[in-house]
Amino acid sequence: MTDTSTTNARQLSDLEVRAEKERVKRNWLLSMPAMILLLLGASGPLLIVLVYSFMTPGDYSGVIWTPTVKAWFQIFFTVDIFDDTVRLADAHLTIFGRSLRLSLLTTLLTLIFGLPTAYFIATRPGRQRTLWLFLITIPFWTNLLIRTFAILEVIRNEGLINNFLRWLGVIDEPIQILYTDTAVLIGMAYVYLPLMVLPLYAAIDRFDFRLVEAGYDLYANRWQVLRRVILPIVKPGIIAGSILVFVPSLGAYVTPRVLGGGKNMMIGNFIELQFGQGRNWPLGSSLSILLLLVVAVALLFYVRAANRGGSDE
Amino acid sequence: MSNKRTKPFSIKYLPGFTPVALVCFVLLYAPIVTMVVYSFNSGQSVALFEDFSVAWYFAAAENELVQEAALRSLIIAAFASGIATVLATMAALGTTRTKNYPGRTLIYLMINQPLMVPEVVTAVALLIFFASIKVATGYSGLAYLILAHAAFCVPFAYLPIRARMEGMDRALEIAAADLYATPWKTFRRVTLPLVAPGIAAGAMLAFVISLDDVIITEFVKSAGQDTLPTYMLGQLRRAVTPEVNAISSALLAVTVILLTAFFLLSGRNSPVGK
Amino acid sequence: MSDEVAVRAEGVSKVFGSPGNELRALDDVTVDIRRNEFFTLLGPSGCGKTTLLRLIAGFETPSAGAIMLDGKDITVDPPFKRPINTVFQSYALFPHLTVGQNVGFGLEMMGRSNSEIDDTVEKMLALVQMEAMRNRLPTQLSGGQQQRVALARALAPQPSVLLLDEPLSALDLKLRKQMQIELKRMQMETGITFIFVTHDQEEALTMSDRIGVMSAGNILQIGSPREIYNSPQNRFVASFIGESNFLEGTASGTGAKRRVALADGHSFEALVADESVSDGKVTVAVRPEFVQVVAADTADALPATVTNIVYFGTDMHCYMSLNSGTEVVARVSADADRGGALETGAKVGITFAPDGPRIVGD
Ligand SMILES: Nc1ncnc2c1ncn2[C@@H]1O[C@H](COP(=O)(O)OP(=O)(O)OP(=O)(O)O)[C@@H](O)[C@H]1O
Ligand SMILES: [Mg+2]
């Protein structure tokens, strides 16, 4: 173990180099088919979207291969047809604002409901806990469309709520919930709630309740134990759940389409519009990339928060 | 009984948590249960329950469009989950239980990419990509949908398989090699049997995920290629038709059955690969 | 045991880790292991025993050097092409296969006929006295039973060399003693070369034909248990195997016996293993049983003071300090102290049994 031997040490023998190359080659070969599939069916096309976002829209659909940054400009600004003045694209900003607001509210709402639920499940004794967990996983794995339909039937004008209120005599005319932002919010909170509960449950399940005992032993009351002991320790779960809800909310398509109608679009619907009636593929592409970037920032924030929290991911 | 407190002090009790949780469960299940109940309604609406009947199930089952869509859903899900499971198993073999190597992070990122990119973005990307291939080749069959589904199913198949492999004792494979088993025989006789439950779980998740997909299918499908979910979405007007209600309930039943099987298969592990 | 070499490690090194942070687990190790011998690698944790075994088995590629089997270079052969089997420390029994299937696994992979596999499995299970357990799963066995199955599994393909990596460490003391005897019996019955790894010196001394003592990636001494115990060549071996007292002194003279003088002028005779060693400052190792406690006025005795006495039934350890302050332990029979003269604080003399003190390298 002398100094000279350690400096020689990095001269890997030919054999070791060969074995190492074999290992890397084998691992790459095994992963290659999946990589190719994902390159064709997921990652590769994203690059095309990036390219398209810098092209000129075609007359009916598609693009003309003239590079331009107009689509990116269009996201935020419009040029007046009459006097060529540049103004903020209010319609777009409204949609972005709605997407952001509804996603944040959804995250908050699911957290408010999800935390007690996760805590409840995690504190059930043995077999009971499996049952409650099972009950939360059924909606999780049930088709999102089906769950959206279910909530639609509850909030529409002739739906459960309105019928019930009318039967009670509280109202004469139905309350218009469907096709409002509120409907989208209710729907997203409903469909994404399990995404919040499960990581929270995982975090609370690992929680060592002797710490709570220690808290009470040191004169904390229930509220203080929750705020000063439980919440800081399950924080990684809270962050994970929030990201898991926030990211799909921001890109939501089905729920706002079914519950928001044509008017209360979110960014996902707006993107689709550009590839349908809007016929502006470059704008749709640049919007997609923008959405991707926002999500990437959220994920980065999550990774950093998780690392700082010393969590295992 | 002079003491005012009737219950002993409970360490885990937090005021208000249990009621909120119970309300939460009620809110989660009320719409689903309503949907199922009204799928047995003989009338047209959810306004009032007229009579118990399975007529809508029959109506749905006899509808040729539904039959075709259901068959298409199953074909796509079967192929996509099959492909995804095989490729995910191979990828798991190449990425677990080995020292780090150049490019492994890239492989992880690629495999998990469908979990990170908003689905609508992938959908748009595939729309653009496949549109030009469709024009170039003239082929517009199911292969596009199968390819797209297989791709986003890979991470769902990969997670449980990887978890299972990482839990497996590396020494077992070394022991097999020591006992004259070639790498292929080691895989067949030792690795595969031991990882099988993870592979089954992965395949099942992939199948369910493919069966449930709406957005990517909606964007990628050619005319007349509706799957059950896109068919249901297309049927939506101001309200859900009773027929769609019946289909939804039937799909829900499938989910519950598969999930129960999954729970039994994977023991106490939660089916969320988190 | 013959003198033919079965396994030869030639200048083998193994380096782990990344640049700037590397670890030399084996440092230019050369060792010949003879056919049919029971060879033990003995050394403290982390000295590279497992690494050497893994290189011989083919699970790892050497950074330098070669592994030879019966004179043939097998360095690049994959494990499944080497007629060498391993009994793993964790047993590594296949949990989805029965005991019988586990034992037959190697033969099956070699493509032997079912009837041959069947017979051999029967024979091997009989050898380890596990016939009754043939159809059980490994999870239904106790630790000792699993250990036997692992042994039978590794023996079934009749390898020319069997590697055993601390196979007894998971067993309780009684079972361990019993298995030591059985292992030795099996090695003699099968005539297979055993390379056995342990960090238990007693185990090594009782079972081995020869022992290689390792420290920090090197083999310091190879020899029979008697040689290793009685004539350790360096300070590490002397202290790792059995107990030793170490005295620093100045040697003079020539030949196999030298005169060693301590700082206070008292001197004694010590054997030297390597006669070419030059005189000067040396370290002398003496086992406690070769230290004799005598009356303080005995001629040639080193004066000492008793500091502590610990009884072990028939024996007792007498701790003394020399004038220089060096601690010396003597193991003396309890009878020797009939007079009760040995007590803490007593002035005594120390002499050494002939051939007791040995000059060792560092
Ligand atoms: N795969 C590896 N990567 C990095 N370092 C390793 C690896 N295997 C072994 N080492 C290091 O090499 C040294 C020798 O390890 P080895 O396992 O051979 O020790 P050992 O003598 O068998 O110890 P023990 O008695 O504890 O089993 C140790 O410092 C160990 O940490
Ligand atoms: Mg070891």
Side-chain angles (χ1 to χ4, degrees), chain B residues 219-270:
Chain B
F219 280 61
V220 168
K221 73 181 162 72
S222 305
Q225 285 187 334
D226 266 319
T227 59
L228 218 38
T230 62
Y231 170 80
M232 295 188 336
L233 186 62
Q235 290 298 299
L236 181 75
R237 299 290 169 260
R238 304 220 94 211
V240 180
T241 66
E243 186 196 57
V244 167
N245 222 339
I247 303 173
S248 300
S249 305
L251 280 180
L252 178 68
V254 172
T255 306
V256 172
I257 291 168
L258 281 179
L259 211 57
T260 313
F262 186 100
F263 252 75
L264 296 179
L265 201 75
S266 61
R268 350 184 281 103
N269 301 340
S270 116

Short mmCIF file of all heavy atoms in Angstrom, two decimals, chain B residues 219-270:
data_model
loop_
_atom_site.label_atom_id
_atom_site.label_comp_id
_atom_site.label_asym_id
_atom_site.label_seq_id
_atom_site.Cartn_x
_atom_site.Cartn_y
_atom_site.Cartn_z
N PHE B 219 -55.08 11.54 -29.75
CA PHE B 219 -54.27 12.30 -30.71
C PHE B 219 -53.70 11.42 -31.81
O PHE B 219 -53.50 11.86 -32.93
CB PHE B 219 -53.11 13.01 -29.98
CG PHE B 219 -53.50 14.28 -29.30
CD1 PHE B 219 -54.43 14.28 -28.27
CD2 PHE B 219 -52.94 15.49 -29.67
CE1 PHE B 219 -54.78 15.45 -27.63
CE2 PHE B 219 -53.30 16.68 -29.05
CZ PHE B 219 -54.22 16.65 -28.01
N VAL B 220 -53.39 10.17 -31.47
CA VAL B 220 -52.65 9.33 -32.40
C VAL B 220 -53.57 8.55 -33.34
O VAL B 220 -53.22 8.26 -34.47
CB VAL B 220 -51.73 8.36 -31.63
CG1 VAL B 220 -51.17 7.29 -32.54
CG2 VAL B 220 -50.60 9.13 -30.96
N LYS B 221 -54.77 8.22 -32.87
CA LYS B 221 -55.64 7.31 -33.64
C LYS B 221 -56.00 7.90 -35.00
O LYS B 221 -56.16 9.11 -35.16
CB LYS B 221 -56.91 7.01 -32.84
CG LYS B 221 -57.91 8.16 -32.77
CD LYS B 221 -59.11 7.75 -31.94
CE LYS B 221 -59.96 8.89 -31.45
NZ LYS B 221 -60.77 9.61 -32.37
N SER B 222 -56.13 7.01 -35.97
CA SER B 222 -56.65 7.42 -37.27
C SER B 222 -58.17 7.30 -37.19
O SER B 222 -58.71 6.80 -36.20
CB SER B 222 -56.12 6.52 -38.37
OG SER B 222 -54.71 6.51 -38.32
N ALA B 223 -58.85 7.72 -38.25
CA ALA B 223 -60.30 7.64 -38.25
C ALA B 223 -60.74 6.19 -38.06
O ALA B 223 -60.13 5.28 -38.60
CB ALA B 223 -60.84 8.17 -39.57
N GLY B 224 -61.79 6.00 -37.25
CA GLY B 224 -62.32 4.67 -37.05
C GLY B 224 -61.45 3.79 -36.16
O GLY B 224 -61.57 2.58 -36.20
N GLN B 225 -60.57 4.40 -35.39
CA GLN B 225 -59.72 3.59 -34.49
C GLN B 225 -60.01 3.89 -33.03
O GLN B 225 -59.12 3.91 -32.20
CB GLN B 225 -58.24 3.85 -34.78
CG GLN B 225 -57.75 3.20 -36.05
CD GLN B 225 -56.26 3.34 -36.21
OE1 GLN B 225 -55.67 4.27 -35.68
NE2 GLN B 225 -55.66 2.42 -36.94
N ASP B 226 -61.27 4.11 -32.71
CA ASP B 226 -61.61 4.41 -31.32
C ASP B 226 -61.30 3.24 -30.41
O ASP B 226 -61.56 2.09 -30.74
CB ASP B 226 -63.09 4.74 -31.22
CG ASP B 226 -63.33 6.23 -31.31
OD1 ASP B 226 -62.53 6.97 -30.72
OD2 ASP B 226 -64.29 6.64 -31.97
N THR B 227 -60.72 3.55 -29.25
CA THR B 227 -60.67 2.56 -28.18
C THR B 227 -61.86 2.86 -27.28
O THR B 227 -62.55 3.87 -27.47
CB THR B 227 -59.38 2.68 -27.37
OG1 THR B 227 -59.31 4.00 -26.81
CG2 THR B 227 -58.16 2.44 -28.24
N LEU B 228 -62.05 2.03 -26.27
CA LEU B 228 -63.21 2.24 -25.40
C LEU B 228 -63.21 3.63 -24.78
O LEU B 228 -64.23 4.34 -24.84
CB LEU B 228 -63.22 1.15 -24.34
CG LEU B 228 -64.59 0.58 -23.94
CD1 LEU B 228 -65.52 0.44 -25.13
CD2 LEU B 228 -64.42 -0.75 -23.25
N PRO B 229 -62.10 4.08 -24.20
CA PRO B 229 -62.12 5.42 -23.59
C PRO B 229 -62.38 6.54 -24.61
O PRO B 229 -63.17 7.44 -24.33
CB PRO B 229 -60.72 5.56 -22.98
CG PRO B 229 -60.29 4.18 -22.72
CD PRO B 229 -60.86 3.36 -23.83
N THR B 230 -61.75 6.49 -25.78
CA THR B 230 -62.00 7.59 -26.72
C THR B 230 -63.43 7.49 -27.27
O THR B 230 -64.05 8.51 -27.56
CB THR B 230 -61.00 7.58 -27.90
OG1 THR B 230 -61.15 6.38 -28.64
CG2 THR B 230 -59.58 7.73 -27.41
N TYR B 231 -63.95 6.29 -27.38
CA TYR B 231 -65.35 6.14 -27.79
C TYR B 231 -66.26 6.82 -26.76
O TYR B 231 -67.16 7.58 -27.09
CB TYR B 231 -65.72 4.66 -27.92
CG TYR B 231 -67.21 4.43 -28.11
CD1 TYR B 231 -67.80 4.59 -29.36
CD2 TYR B 231 -68.02 4.08 -27.04
CE1 TYR B 231 -69.16 4.41 -29.53
CE2 TYR B 231 -69.38 3.89 -27.20
CZ TYR B 231 -69.95 4.06 -28.45
OH TYR B 231 -71.29 3.88 -28.62
N MET B 232 -65.97 6.55 -25.49
CA MET B 232 -66.80 7.13 -24.42
C MET B 232 -66.69 8.66 -24.41
O MET B 232 -67.69 9.36 -24.23
CB MET B 232 -66.38 6.56 -23.06
CG MET B 232 -66.67 5.08 -22.98
SD MET B 232 -66.46 4.25 -21.39
CE MET B 232 -65.36 5.21 -20.50
N LEU B 233 -65.47 9.14 -24.62
CA LEU B 233 -65.29 10.60 -24.65
C LEU B 233 -66.07 11.20 -25.82
O LEU B 233 -66.70 12.26 -25.69
CB LEU B 233 -63.80 10.92 -24.79
CG LEU B 233 -63.41 12.40 -24.68
CD1 LEU B 233 -63.78 12.95 -23.32
CD2 LEU B 233 -61.92 12.58 -24.94
N GLY B 234 -66.07 10.47 -26.95
CA GLY B 234 -66.79 10.96 -28.13
C GLY B 234 -68.30 10.96 -27.93
O GLY B 234 -69.01 11.76 -28.53
N GLN B 235 -68.80 10.08 -27.09
CA GLN B 235 -70.24 9.99 -26.85
C GLN B 235 -70.76 11.08 -25.94
O GLN B 235 -71.96 11.28 -25.80
CB GLN B 235 -70.58 8.63 -26.21
CG GLN B 235 -70.43 7.46 -27.13
CD GLN B 235 -71.36 7.57 -28.31
OE1 GLN B 235 -72.57 7.61 -28.16
NE2 GLN B 235 -70.80 7.68 -29.51
N LEU B 236 -69.84 11.78 -25.28
CA LEU B 236 -70.25 12.74 -24.26
C LEU B 236 -70.94 13.94 -24.89
O LEU B 236 -70.43 14.57 -25.80
CB LEU B 236 -69.01 13.20 -23.49
CG LEU B 236 -69.30 14.19 -22.36
CD1 LEU B 236 -69.91 13.45 -21.19
CD2 LEU B 236 -68.04 14.90 -21.95
N ARG B 237 -72.15 14.23 -24.40
CA ARG B 237 -72.79 15.49 -24.77
C ARG B 237 -72.87 16.32 -23.50
O ARG B 237 -71.90 16.46 -22.79
CB ARG B 237 -74.16 15.22 -25.37
CG ARG B 237 -74.13 14.38 -26.63
CD ARG B 237 -73.52 15.13 -27.83
NE ARG B 237 -73.27 14.21 -28.94
CZ ARG B 237 -72.08 13.68 -29.23
NH1 ARG B 237 -71.03 14.00 -28.52
NH2 ARG B 237 -71.94 12.85 -30.24
N ARG B 238 -74.06 16.80 -23.16
CA ARG B 238 -74.17 17.58 -21.93
C ARG B 238 -74.13 16.66 -20.71
O ARG B 238 -73.82 17.06 -19.61
CB ARG B 238 -75.47 18.38 -21.92
CG ARG B 238 -75.60 19.29 -23.13
CD ARG B 238 -76.17 20.62 -22.75
NE ARG B 238 -75.12 21.59 -22.47
CZ ARG B 238 -75.25 22.57 -21.58
NH1 ARG B 238 -76.35 22.68 -20.86
NH2 ARG B 238 -74.26 23.43 -21.39
N ALA B 239 -74.53 15.42 -20.95
CA ALA B 239 -74.52 14.46 -19.85
C ALA B 239 -73.92 13.15 -20.36
O ALA B 239 -73.68 13.00 -21.54
CB ALA B 239 -75.92 14.22 -19.33
N VAL B 240 -73.69 12.26 -19.42
CA VAL B 240 -73.18 10.95 -19.79
C VAL B 240 -74.36 10.08 -20.19
O VAL B 240 -75.36 10.03 -19.47
CB VAL B 240 -72.44 10.32 -18.60
CG1 VAL B 240 -71.90 8.96 -18.97
CG2 VAL B 240 -71.32 11.23 -18.13
N THR B 241 -74.26 9.41 -21.32
CA THR B 241 -75.38 8.55 -21.70
C THR B 241 -75.41 7.32 -20.79
O THR B 241 -74.36 6.90 -20.28
CB THR B 241 -75.24 8.06 -23.15
OG1 THR B 241 -74.10 7.21 -23.23
CG2 THR B 241 -75.10 9.23 -24.11
N PRO B 242 -76.57 6.77 -20.58
CA PRO B 242 -76.67 5.59 -19.70
C PRO B 242 -75.82 4.44 -20.22
O PRO B 242 -75.28 3.66 -19.45
CB PRO B 242 -78.15 5.22 -19.75
CG PRO B 242 -78.85 6.44 -20.24
CD PRO B 242 -77.89 7.21 -21.07
N GLU B 243 -75.68 4.38 -21.54
CA GLU B 243 -74.87 3.31 -22.12
C GLU B 243 -73.40 3.46 -21.68
O GLU B 243 -72.78 2.50 -21.22
CB GLU B 243 -74.98 3.40 -23.64
CG GLU B 243 -74.29 2.27 -24.35
CD GLU B 243 -74.08 2.62 -25.82
OE1 GLU B 243 -73.44 3.66 -26.09
OE2 GLU B 243 -74.58 1.87 -26.66
N VAL B 244 -72.89 4.68 -21.79
CA VAL B 244 -71.51 4.93 -21.35
C VAL B 244 -71.37 4.67 -19.86
O VAL B 244 -70.35 4.15 -19.38
CB VAL B 244 -71.10 6.38 -21.70
CG1 VAL B 244 -69.81 6.76 -21.00
CG2 VAL B 244 -70.95 6.53 -23.20
N ASN B 245 -72.40 5.02 -19.14
CA ASN B 245 -72.45 4.73 -17.71
C ASN B 245 -72.23 3.24 -17.44
O ASN B 245 -71.46 2.84 -16.55
CB ASN B 245 -73.82 5.15 -17.18
CG ASN B 245 -73.69 5.84 -15.86
OD1 ASN B 245 -72.70 5.68 -15.17
ND2 ASN B 245 -74.69 6.62 -15.51
N ALA B 246 -72.92 2.44 -18.24
CA ALA B 246 -72.80 0.98 -18.07
C ALA B 246 -71.39 0.52 -18.42
O ALA B 246 -70.80 -0.30 -17.70
CB ALA B 246 -73.84 0.28 -18.94
N ILE B 247 -70.84 1.08 -19.52
CA ILE B 247 -69.47 0.69 -19.89
C ILE B 247 -68.50 1.07 -18.78
O ILE B 247 -67.63 0.28 -18.38
CB ILE B 247 -69.05 1.38 -21.21
CG1 ILE B 247 -70.03 1.05 -22.33
CG2 ILE B 247 -67.65 0.98 -21.60
CD1 ILE B 247 -69.77 1.82 -23.61
N SER B 248 -68.67 2.30 -18.26
CA SER B 248 -67.79 2.76 -17.18
C SER B 248 -67.84 1.80 -16.00
O SER B 248 -66.81 1.43 -15.43
CB SER B 248 -68.20 4.15 -16.72
OG SER B 248 -68.10 5.06 -17.77
N SER B 249 -69.04 1.41 -15.62
CA SER B 249 -69.19 0.52 -14.47
C SER B 249 -68.52 -0.81 -14.73
O SER B 249 -67.87 -1.38 -13.84
CB SER B 249 -70.67 0.31 -14.15
OG SER B 249 -71.29 1.56 -13.96
N ALA B 250 -68.67 -1.29 -15.97
CA ALA B 250 -68.04 -2.57 -16.30
C ALA B 250 -66.51 -2.44 -16.20
O ALA B 250 -65.83 -3.31 -15.64
CB ALA B 250 -68.45 -3.01 -17.69
N LEU B 251 -65.97 -1.34 -16.74
CA LEU B 251 -64.52 -1.13 -16.67
C LEU B 251 -64.06 -1.01 -15.22
O LEU B 251 -63.00 -1.52 -14.84
CB LEU B 251 -64.13 0.14 -17.43
CG LEU B 251 -64.01 0.00 -18.95
CD1 LEU B 251 -63.63 1.33 -19.57
CD2 LEU B 251 -62.98 -1.06 -19.30
N LEU B 252 -64.87 -0.33 -14.42
CA LEU B 252 -64.54 -0.19 -13.00
C LEU B 252 -64.42 -1.57 -12.36
O LEU B 252 -63.49 -1.84 -11.59
CB LEU B 252 -65.64 0.62 -12.31
CG LEU B 252 -65.48 0.83 -10.81
CD1 LEU B 252 -64.28 1.72 -10.55
CD2 LEU B 252 -66.74 1.45 -10.22
N ALA B 253 -65.37 -2.45 -12.73
CA ALA B 253 -65.34 -3.80 -12.17
C ALA B 253 -64.04 -4.50 -12.56
O ALA B 253 -63.40 -5.16 -11.72
CB ALA B 253 -66.55 -4.59 -12.67
N VAL B 254 -63.63 -4.33 -13.82
CA VAL B 254 -62.37 -4.95 -14.27
C VAL B 254 -61.20 -4.43 -13.44
O VAL B 254 -60.35 -5.20 -12.97
CB VAL B 254 -62.14 -4.66 -15.77
CG1 VAL B 254 -60.75 -5.13 -16.19
CG2 VAL B 254 -63.20 -5.34 -16.61
N THR B 255 -61.19 -3.10 -13.24
CA THR B 255 -60.11 -2.51 -12.45
C THR B 255 -60.06 -3.11 -11.05
O THR B 255 -59.00 -3.48 -10.55
CB THR B 255 -60.29 -0.99 -12.35
OG1 THR B 255 -60.41 -0.45 -13.66
CG2 THR B 255 -59.12 -0.35 -11.64
N VAL B 256 -61.22 -3.19 -10.43
CA VAL B 256 -61.27 -3.71 -9.06
C VAL B 256 -60.76 -5.14 -9.01
O VAL B 256 -59.98 -5.52 -8.13
CB VAL B 256 -62.70 -3.61 -8.48
CG1 VAL B 256 -62.79 -4.32 -7.14
CG2 VAL B 256 -63.12 -2.16 -8.36
N ILE B 257 -61.16 -5.94 -9.99
CA ILE B 257 -60.73 -7.34 -10.00
C ILE B 257 -59.22 -7.43 -10.18
O ILE B 257 -58.52 -8.13 -9.43
CB ILE B 257 -61.46 -8.11 -11.13
CG1 ILE B 257 -62.94 -8.26 -10.78
CG2 ILE B 257 -60.82 -9.48 -11.34
CD1 ILE B 257 -63.78 -8.74 -11.93
N LEU B 258 -58.70 -6.69 -11.19
CA LEU B 258 -57.26 -6.73 -11.42
C LEU B 258 -56.48 -6.25 -10.20
O LEU B 258 -55.47 -6.82 -9.82
CB LEU B 258 -56.89 -5.86 -12.63
CG LEU B 258 -57.14 -6.46 -14.00
CD1 LEU B 258 -56.75 -5.50 -15.10
CD2 LEU B 258 -56.34 -7.75 -14.14
N LEU B 259 -56.99 -5.21 -9.58
CA LEU B 259 -56.30 -4.63 -8.44
C LEU B 259 -56.29 -5.60 -7.26
O LEU B 259 -55.28 -5.73 -6.55
CB LEU B 259 -57.01 -3.33 -8.04
CG LEU B 259 -56.12 -2.26 -7.44
CD1 LEU B 259 -55.01 -1.92 -8.40
CD2 LEU B 259 -56.95 -1.03 -7.13
N THR B 260 -57.40 -6.28 -7.07
CA THR B 260 -57.46 -7.27 -6.00
C THR B 260 -56.43 -8.36 -6.25
O THR B 260 -55.68 -8.75 -5.35
CB THR B 260 -58.86 -7.88 -5.92
OG1 THR B 260 -59.82 -6.83 -5.97
CG2 THR B 260 -59.04 -8.68 -4.65
N ALA B 261 -56.39 -8.81 -7.51
CA ALA B 261 -55.40 -9.83 -7.86
C ALA B 261 -53.99 -9.32 -7.59
O ALA B 261 -53.16 -10.02 -7.02
CB ALA B 261 -55.54 -10.21 -9.34
N PHE B 262 -53.77 -8.08 -7.96
CA PHE B 262 -52.45 -7.48 -7.76
C PHE B 262 -52.09 -7.45 -6.29
O PHE B 262 -50.98 -7.82 -5.90
CB PHE B 262 -52.46 -6.06 -8.33
CG PHE B 262 -51.12 -5.39 -8.33
CD1 PHE B 262 -50.37 -5.33 -9.48
CD2 PHE B 262 -50.60 -4.83 -7.16
CE1 PHE B 262 -49.13 -4.73 -9.48
CE2 PHE B 262 -49.37 -4.22 -7.16
CZ PHE B 262 -48.63 -4.18 -8.33
N PHE B 263 -53.04 -7.02 -5.46
CA PHE B 263 -52.79 -6.95 -4.02
C PHE B 263 -52.43 -8.32 -3.48
O PHE B 263 -51.51 -8.46 -2.67
CB PHE B 263 -54.04 -6.42 -3.30
CG PHE B 263 -53.88 -5.03 -2.79
CD1 PHE B 263 -53.91 -3.96 -3.67
CD2 PHE B 263 -53.69 -4.78 -1.44
CE1 PHE B 263 -53.76 -2.67 -3.22
CE2 PHE B 263 -53.53 -3.48 -0.98
CZ PHE B 263 -53.57 -2.43 -1.87
N LEU B 264 -53.16 -9.33 -3.93
CA LEU B 264 -52.89 -10.68 -3.45
C LEU B 264 -51.53 -11.15 -3.95
O LEU B 264 -50.79 -11.82 -3.24
CB LEU B 264 -53.99 -11.63 -3.92
CG LEU B 264 -55.38 -11.30 -3.36
CD1 LEU B 264 -56.42 -12.26 -3.90
CD2 LEU B 264 -55.35 -11.34 -1.83
N LEU B 265 -51.19 -10.78 -5.18
CA LEU B 265 -49.94 -11.23 -5.80
C LEU B 265 -48.72 -10.63 -5.12
O LEU B 265 -47.73 -11.30 -4.86
CB LEU B 265 -49.95 -10.82 -7.27
CG LEU B 265 -49.03 -11.59 -8.21
CD1 LEU B 265 -49.61 -12.96 -8.47
CD2 LEU B 265 -48.87 -10.82 -9.51
N SER B 266 -48.81 -9.33 -4.85
CA SER B 266 -47.61 -8.66 -4.35
C SER B 266 -47.60 -8.58 -2.84
O SER B 266 -46.82 -7.83 -2.27
CB SER B 266 -47.50 -7.27 -4.97
OG SER B 266 -48.63 -6.51 -4.60
N GLY B 267 -48.46 -9.36 -2.19
CA GLY B 267 -48.47 -9.35 -0.74
C GLY B 267 -48.86 -8.00 -0.21
O GLY B 267 -49.80 -7.40 -0.69
N ARG B 268 -48.08 -7.50 0.73
CA ARG B 268 -48.49 -6.27 1.38
C ARG B 268 -47.98 -5.03 0.66
O ARG B 268 -48.20 -3.92 1.08
CB ARG B 268 -48.05 -6.23 2.84
CG ARG B 268 -47.48 -7.54 3.37
CD ARG B 268 -47.17 -7.45 4.83
NE ARG B 268 -45.91 -6.76 5.09
CZ ARG B 268 -45.80 -5.53 5.53
NH1 ARG B 268 -46.85 -4.82 5.75
NH2 ARG B 268 -44.62 -5.01 5.75
N ASN B 269 -47.22 -5.22 -0.43
CA ASN B 269 -46.66 -4.05 -1.10
C ASN B 269 -47.73 -3.24 -1.80
O ASN B 269 -48.63 -3.77 -2.39
CB ASN B 269 -45.62 -4.49 -2.13
CG ASN B 269 -44.51 -5.26 -1.48
OD1 ASN B 269 -44.32 -5.15 -0.27
ND2 ASN B 269 -43.81 -6.07 -2.25
N SER B 270 -47.60 -1.96 -1.69
CA SER B 270 -48.57 -1.11 -2.36
C SER B 270 -48.26 -1.11 -3.86
O SER B 270 -47.11 -1.18 -4.26
CB SER B 270 -48.49 0.31 -1.81
OG SER B 270 -48.09 1.21 -2.80
#
